[in-house]
Every structure is written in structure tokens, then in C-alpha cells.
Amino acid sequence: MEDVVGIIVAPIVIFLIFVAPIWLIMHYRSKKQINQGLTAEQYASLQELANRADKMTDRIHTLESILDAEAPQWRNKV
């Protein structure tokens, strides 16, 4: 009976001493990063990417309209 208790207690103690503190530190560190949100630099970068995506969308629509006018069957070839 004491062997079974020893087998169960040892992993629990190791978990509580080593794993649980690291786990808690990492958990609350990630919560802190989530709550902070985006930095000004990250927000500016995100805005720039969104602007580039909008420009690319406009260009794609323009190219598709040109292709539709010059080669109406181009969509069927792909």
C-alpha cells in the first residue's frame, strides 16, 4: 500500500514543484500580452497591410475587367 502511495505522490510532487509554476507563469504572461493589444507599431503595420490589400483588390478587379473585354473566354481556360 505504501508503494502505491509513493508511486502516486512522487509525480504529483514533481508536477507541483516544477511544472505547475512554469505553467502558471506562461499562462499569465500570455494573458497579459492578449490584454495589452496591439502596439502602435503593430497597428501601423496592420493598417499598411490592409491598405496594400485594398489596392491589390482594385488592381485585380481592373485586370479582370480588361481580360473580360479582350478575351471573354479567359475564365474557362483556367
Side-chain angles (χ1 to χ4, degrees), residues 43-61:
Y43 184 75
S45 177
L46 184 61
Q47 284 299 112
E48 178 64 27
L49 288 173
N51 290 338
R52 287 183 182 184
D54 290 338
K55 288 178 184 178
M56 287 179 64
T57 301
D58 292 340
R59 289 177 181 170
I60 290 169
H61 288 300

Side-chain angles (χ1 to χ4, degrees), residues 7 14 18 28 37 41-42 46 50 70:
I7 292 172
I14 291 171
F18 296 107
Y28 285 110
E41 182 179 316
Q42 290 171 331
L46 184 61
E70 293 185 7

Side-chain angles (χ1 to χ4, degrees), residues 1-73:
M1 182 71 175
E2 291 179 21
D3 291 338
V4 173
V5 172
I7 292 172
I8 294 172
V9 170
I12 291 173
V13 169
I14 291 171
F15 176 81
L16 290 174
I17 291 174
F18 296 107
V19 178
I22 294 171
W23 188 358
L24 288 172
I25 289 168
M26 298 301 284
H27 171 75
Y28 285 110
R29 185 178 293 168
S30 69
K31 286 284 192 183
K32 180 181 174 185
Q33 289 175 351
I34 289 171
N35 289 338
Q36 286 179 346
L38 296 176
T39 64
E41 182 179 316
Q42 290 171 331
Y43 184 75
S45 177
L46 184 61
Q47 284 299 112
E48 178 64 27
L49 288 173
N51 290 338
R52 287 183 182 184
D54 290 338
K55 288 178 184 178
M56 287 179 64
T57 301
D58 292 340
R59 289 177 181 170
I60 290 169
H61 288 300
T62 302
L63 289 172
E64 286 179 345
S65 64
I66 292 170
L67 282 171
D68 285 337
E70 293 185 7
Q73 299 299 321

